Amino acid sequence: MDFDLFVIGGGSAGVRCARIAAGHGARVGIAEDRFWGGTCVNIGCVPKKLLVQAGEYGAWAEDAAGFGWSIRKGPHDWGKLLAAKDREISRLAGIYRKLLDGAGATIFDARARLTGPNSLDVGGRTITAERIVIATGGHPTRLPIPGAERGIVSDDAFYLPALPKRVAILGSGYIAVEFAGIFSALGAAVDLVYRAPLPLRGFDHDLREALAEALASGGVTLHPGVTPERIEADGAGHRLLLSTGGAIAADLVFFATGRRPATENLGLEAAGVAVTATGAVVVDAHLRTTQPHIFAIGDVTDRLNLTPVATAEGHALADSLFGGKPRRISLENVPTAVFSTPPVATVGLSEEAAAARGKVDVYVSRFTPMRHTLSGRARRSLMKLVVDQASGRVLGAHMLGEDAPEIMQGLGIAVAMGATKADFDRTIGIHPTAAEEFVTLRTRTREAG
Ligand code: NDP
């Protein structure tokens, strides 16, 4: 065999797996034909957060007046922002490649395809490997409606030549609400069109309500309970026709309607690797596919599509196969954040999911953050704990408000460790912060379950 391990895909999952396996002394090859660092680094988490931060500066310039500053918000230069973003992303992608090189992995800037259980075609070369890891990630999808080709997906959003004036975003998942905040903060008029009554299906109901309120008060026009039916030309722009009979005129229509695993033309049948009806690679608890020496990690398995989950899986798999440290990643109590404006962060169970399992005590606090008592911005935060009545364990922590992702990372440790409400209560707060609210929630709001 040419390699002990061959990794298909140089994203978060694949790079980590290849790097750690090579560090354990395995002979590792890795192929990537587009972006080293994958979606997260190039057309996902990292550039997205830079765009969110660009929007925040505009709001801060407005808010500063309440603190005595005379700052006039000038026009925003989209081209300058994208050029700065591109420089940073090239630097990061280069680092990813260097890390692999430094670890001793053999790098192929090529597309890889399985040709048999232990063989691959890598850019025209035949390669054999003892074990293979599929880490090809996923792609955003458009809804199958007439005129869909007129709309963009998140991959394209990072390369727009100019900031559109009117944006219609379809969907209300992570990507939809994040980009609604970005475009709105940078000055575009944003319409958010989604079929559910509230955005962020699966998240805690209070959080979803608070987010809908925050989006609306931030200037985003919400269209709940609506499905898009077709996109037509409208002068230089587009017209989005809706299930309600209404229409939205937009310069940009953005499909944020989910992602699908990248398993097409990978030769999975040739290798005996099964996929689900939606094209996700089927894996067991050890990340093994239906072919025991072939593994799959990250978004291509379509379970919990988050970068830190993908990297953790890549690391655990490399340690298990070559480091003499077999271990698994738990997909429970994974903290997550949506970088909406303001952001949402959560760990553990929503009130609804927890109440379905038994009686819970619910603590909710809504307040105006200190900064906005002076800034005058109409923005409220929400913090919430869901506590198991029998054991006192905190089953879920939820927040909408500035710094929510930063705060939730620490709470994630507490919740994963099984901290009780009493543990939260005996923790002294840091004053004055928003975070201290999580340890001073004294009065139960309601009981559920
Ligand atoms: P999501 O799965 O989060 O959301 C998809 C959206 O599209 C939902 O609002 C869904 O509606 C809607 N939708 C799907 N099918 C249809 C349809 N046929 N008609 C109308 N609406 C439809 O996908 P995203 O594209 O936002 O993101 C993909 C994944 O990437 C996320 O789930 C997350 O795992 C990951 N991600 C994580 C981020 C982070 O950690 N901050 C950031 C970005 C992405 P409904 O809810 O009603 O089904």
Side-chain angles (χ1 to χ4, degrees):
M1 297 281 178
D2 298 320
F3 292 103
D4 299 319
L5 180 75
F6 197 92
V7 180
I8 310 178
S12 305
V15 168
R16 177 66 69 88
C17 186
R19 193 160 69 78
I20 301 300
H24 287 315
R27 292 173 307 138
V28 177
I30 178 167
E32 167 62 49
D33 71 338
R34 194 175 175 203
F35 291 130
W36 289 99
T39 298
C40 177
V41 170
N42 296 277
I43 45 172
C45 330
V46 177
K48 175 275 308 287
K49 182 136 182 205
L50 293 172
L51 300 190
V52 170
Q53 288 172 333
E56 285 171 351
Y57 280 101
W60 284 342
E62 289 165 4
D63 291 353
F67 291 83
W69 290 101
S70 309
I71 296 177
R72 199 151 355 109
K73 197 171 107 179
H76 181 259
D77 187 337
W78 173 259
K80 193 168 172 183
L81 170 63
L82 285 210
K85 179 269 289 178
D86 287 342
R87 276 195 302 279
E88 175 55 8
I89 299 311
S90 316
R91 187 184 73 83
L92 288 176
I95 288 176
Y96 265 71
R97 221 172 169 285
K98 256 195 224 117
L99 283 173
L100 283 167
D101 222 15
T106 306
I107 295 175
F108 295 85
D109 290 290
R111 193 168 173 79
R113 192 170 44 84
L114 291 155
T115 50
N118 290 94
S119 60
L120 305 106
D121 176 292
V122 183
R125 258 176 79 178
T126 299
I127 289 200
T128 54
E130 190 98 29
R131 293 183 174 107
I132 295 168
V133 171
I134 301 162
T136 48
H139 297 300
T141 54
R142 288 173 171 80
L143 296 179
I145 57 171
E149 71 288 348
R150 304 184 71 87
I152 67 153
V153 291
S154 57
D155 288 12
D156 312 311
F158 298 102
Y159 302 101
L160 294 175
L163 178 73
K165 287 197 168 57
R166 301 165 303 168
V167 185
I169 300 181
L170 312 182
S172 63
Y174 281 80
I175 296 179
V177 298
E178 290 182 342
F179 273 95
I182 291 167
F183 286 125
S184 174
L186 293 177
V190 177
D191 286 277
L192 191 65
V193 179
Y194 49 99
R195 63 182 175 184
L198 288 169
L200 288 186
R201 184 164 55 83
F203 281 69
D204 184 88
H205 187 85
D206 282 340
L207 212 51
R208 298 175 69 192
E209 265 183 3
L211 177 66
E213 209 178 296
L215 287 167
S217 86
V220 174
T221 306
L222 305 182
H223 302 269
V226 176
T227 48
E229 295 205 322
R230 63 166 56 231
I231 310 173
E232 292 176 348
D234 182 19
H238 315 280
R239 198 146 57 119
L240 176 69
L241 300 165
L242 308 172
S243 56
T244 50
I248 296 170
D251 304 305
L252 183 79
V253 179
F254 186 152
F255 286 95
T257 45
R259 298 175 60 87
R260 70 175 156 72
T263 48
E264 276 165 22
N265 306 320
L266 255 186
L268 295 179
E269 321 73 43
V273 172
V275 295
T276 65
T278 53
V281 177
V282 178
V283 286
D284 66 11
H286 302 280
L287 303 167
R288 272 187 308 227
T289 67
T290 43
Q291 192 62 275
H293 68 282
I294 302 183
F295 303 82
I297 52 179
D299 285 8
V300 77
T301 62
D302 200 15
R303 292 158 308 145
L304 197 50
N305 298 334
L306 300 170
T307 294
V309 170
T311 43
E313 286 180 346
H315 204 132
L317 182 60
D319 282 349
S320 302
L321 296 178
F322 301 105
K325 287 180 276 186
R327 61 193 182 88
R328 285 197 234 162
I329 295 302
S330 165
L331 297 184
E332 273 187 25
N333 291 323
V334 172
T336 182
V338 184
F339 292 90
S340 45
T341 307
V344 161
T346 191
V347 64
L349 300 178
S350 66
E351 177 182 336
E352 300 72 48
R357 298 184 183 188
K359 283 239 174 299
V360 288
D361 292 326
V362 178
Y363 298 80
V364 186
S365 169
R366 295 211 72 183
F367 57 94
T368 300
M370 192 181 197
R371 175 185 300 280
H372 298 308
T373 57
L374 261 64
S375 78
R377 182 173 292 276
R379 185 177 282 183
R380 304 231 298 150
S381 295
L382 176 135
M383 289 160 100
K384 175 167 178 179
L385 289 179
V386 180
V387 180
D388 178 47
Q389 225 172 56
S391 65
R393 272 185 63 172
V394 176
L395 300 179
H398 310 281
M399 177 171 177
L400 170 126
E402 284 150 27
D403 301 322
E406 303 291 342
I407 292 169
M408 202 54 65
Q409 184 67 81
L411 285 191
I413 302 172
V415 172
M417 287 179 74
T420 61
K421 179 67 166 57
D423 292 323
F424 275 60
D425 291 346
R426 68 186 166 83
T427 303
I428 309 286
I430 299 175
H431 187 70
T433 62
E436 68 179 316
E437 196 74 11
F438 273 121
V439 295
T440 53
L441 286 166
R442 297 277 177 253
T443 315
R444 184 175 81 174
T445 309
R446 62 180 168 266
E447 179 186 62

